[in-house]
């Protein structure tokens, strides 16, 4: 079984989409719901709909992807309406709503609206979008992160988590984990894309995406060791009650297995889902089940967090 759990929420498959991929419209969300994925997360909703950055704003690369989408989305109300209708139709299938603020004050607006709604699923507060010109990735600033979390949890009483950017220094993990441990979080999601990479087309000496002079978030295989380190480092530091969604660098069942070895309770597909589409869920499920069968494992608990060190 690939079943897993976050808090009191149960999922029959450990795999789901990463926010931003295949989750902008109700039609895309419905395709995720009908797939083998354990559940789905919506595109990060902002208080108002946004067109996003100029195209081209996503490019597949040999080992992953670069994007500077700029938070194109249909606005919080659209995704909240979708979620409310969904939970009536599928009372046994909890889903995630991702929300992102254009500034610290937006998080209060977003949290209040979801708190006041009938939404019964999990809310992911995205503190790590790298692609809005002039707006820093919030979670790289501890003070702003603390202010936002204080403001959110003053009013928000529903199951919630945060989407984090990659960190690269063990002192950063110490500081961020100490901060996160103070809040009633159900989960963290680690990692968002590697912010502000740059790729060049050698035929034309030109950037491959238009926004921000070509800078964009890097995903796919480039991100794998960073994602593993972030999941592992947070698992070693967070309260055991805070679940971890592992995201980044998944192309094979082995990649899923490795994130779970580092402590992931759920695993999200970004670039691989964008490139391969919905069939990625069945392929990766089969590949993961084959690895588990070889080792005699029947459930994720048989190896979750059980990374060996030398
Ligand atoms: C976008 C990218 C992200 O990595 C994110 O967390 C939110 C939004 C974007 O460019 O749309």
């Amino acid at each position: 079984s690939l079943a897993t759990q976050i808090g009191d929420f149960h999922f029959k498959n450990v795999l789901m989409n990463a926010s931003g991929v295949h989750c902008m419209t109700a039609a895309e969300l419905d395709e995720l719901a009908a797939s083998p994925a354990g559940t789905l997360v919506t595109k990060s909703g902002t208080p108002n709909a946004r067109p996003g950055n100029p195209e081209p704003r996503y490019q597949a690369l040999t080992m992953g992807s670069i994007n500077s989408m700029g938070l194109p989305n249909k606005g919080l109300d659209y995704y909240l309406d979708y979620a409310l209708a969904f939970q009536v139709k599928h009372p046994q299938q909890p889903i995630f709503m991702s929300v992102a603020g254009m500034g610290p004050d937006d998080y209060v607006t977003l949290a209040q609206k979801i708190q006041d709604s009938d939404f019964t699923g999990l809310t992911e507060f995205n503190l790590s979008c790298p692609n809005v010109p002039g707006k820093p990735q919030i979670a790289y600033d501890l003070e702003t992160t603390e202010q936002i979390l204080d403001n959110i949890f003053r009013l928000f009483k529903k199951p919630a988590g945060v989407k984090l950017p990659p960190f690269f220094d063990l002192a950063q993990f110490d500081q961020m984990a100490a901060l996160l441990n103070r809040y009633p979080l159900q989960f963290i999601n680690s990692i968002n894309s590697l912010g502000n990479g740059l790729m060049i087309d050698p035929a034309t000496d030109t950037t491959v995406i238009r926004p921000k002079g070509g800078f964009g978030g890097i995903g796919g295989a480039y991100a794998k060791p960073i994602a593993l380190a972030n999941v592992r480092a947070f698992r070693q530091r967070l309260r055991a009650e805070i679940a971890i969604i592992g995201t980044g660098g998944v192309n094979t069942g082995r990649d899923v297995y490795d994130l779970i070895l580092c402590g992931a309770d759920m695993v999200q597909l970004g670039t691989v889902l964008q490139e391969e589409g919905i069939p990625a869920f069945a392929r990766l499920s089969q590949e993961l089940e084959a690895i588990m069968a070889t080792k005699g494992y029947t459930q994720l608990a048989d190896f979750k967090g059980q990374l060996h060190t030398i």
Side-chain angles (χ1 to χ4, degrees):
S1 159
L2 301 185
T4 191
Q5 201 174 331
I6 291 181
D8 294 331
F9 297 91
H10 294 258
F11 307 97
K12 64 182 190 309
N13 191 306
V14 68
L15 300 175
M16 62 182 290
N17 67 305
S19 185
V21 182
H22 211 99
C23 60
M24 181 91 77
T25 65
E28 289 177 319
L29 292 162
D30 284 345
E31 289 181 9
L32 290 170
S35 82
T39 185
L40 58 86
V41 59
T42 63
K43 172 68 181 173
S44 291
T46 49
N48 298 113
R50 292 170 48 84
N53 292 338
E55 297 181 335
R57 57 192 186 181
Y58 171 91
Q59 178 62 50
L61 308 173
T62 45
M63 292 190 287
S65 65
I66 186 169
N67 88 83
S68 184
M69 304 300 290
L71 269 170
N73 78 95
K74 292 180 169 292
L76 174 65
D77 289 349
Y78 179 92
Y79 301 109
L80 197 48
D81 287 350
Y82 181 87
L84 295 178
F86 186 92
Q87 67 191 24
V88 171
K89 282 181 284 181
H90 311 274
Q92 309 292 39
Q93 173 148 206
I95 64 171
F96 290 74
M97 290 233 315
S98 172
V99 293
M102 302 306 295
D105 294 347
D106 276 355
Y107 287 89
V108 174
T109 308
L110 295 161
Q112 189 71 60
K113 209 154 186 175
I114 297 172
Q115 180 63 33
D116 292 342
S117 78
D118 291 323
F119 180 57
T120 56
L122 293 131
T123 302
E124 176 171 285
F125 291 94
N126 183 356
L127 304 181
S128 46
C129 175
N131 296 335
V132 179
K135 306 281 185 186
Q137 291 164 83
I138 289 167
Y140 283 145
D141 180 338
L142 271 176
E143 270 186 39
T144 305
T145 300
E146 179 175 18
Q147 277 176 18
I148 288 174
L149 292 175
D150 281 349
N151 289 339
I152 288 172
F153 287 109
R154 198 166 290 133
L155 65 91
F156 200 72
K157 306 302 172 192
K158 296 183 176 187
V162 290
K163 179 80 171 273
L164 298 173
F167 297 100
F168 299 91
D169 193 282
L170 297 184
Q172 292 179 303
F173 293 117
D174 290 342
Q175 292 172 342
M176 183 55 67
L179 178 65
L180 296 175
N181 277 332
R182 293 172 28 206
Y183 300 95
L185 292 165
Q186 295 287 318
F187 69 94
I188 67 154
N189 186 344
S190 188
I191 58 175
N192 208 316
S193 57
L194 315 182
N196 295 292
L198 188 67
M199 194 57 77
I200 298 168
D201 178 352
T204 60
D205 296 355
T206 304
T207 56
V208 300
I209 56 172
R210 189 181 306 281
K212 292 177 62 177
F215 288 84
I218 304 293
Y222 301 107
K224 176 170 173 175
I226 316 298
L228 293 179
N230 276 256
V231 170
R232 173 75 168 170
F234 277 117
R235 187 66 288 158
Q236 291 173 317
R237 289 165 174 80
L238 291 175
R239 290 185 288 110
E241 301 75 36
I242 303 180
I244 299 185
I245 301 176
T247 305
V250 173
N251 282 292
T252 68
R254 181 69 210 197
D255 300 330
V256 180
Y257 183 90
D258 287 348
L259 281 165
I260 297 168
L261 263 190
C262 289
D265 298 287
M266 189 113 204
V267 171
Q268 295 187 339
L269 308 184
T271 300
V272 72
L273 176 60
Q274 178 65 35
E275 292 305 310
E276 190 171 328
I278 296 289
F281 290 111
R283 176 178 66 82
L284 292 166
S285 296
Q286 287 158 15
E287 291 177 7
L288 177 59
E289 280 169 341
I291 293 167
M292 289 171 61
T294 301
K295 294 172 181 287
Y297 297 157
T298 59
Q299 50 184 353
L300 304 185
D302 293 341
F303 63 100
K304 188 187 292 178
Q306 309 279 310
L307 177 65
H308 299 301
T309 56
I310 55 172

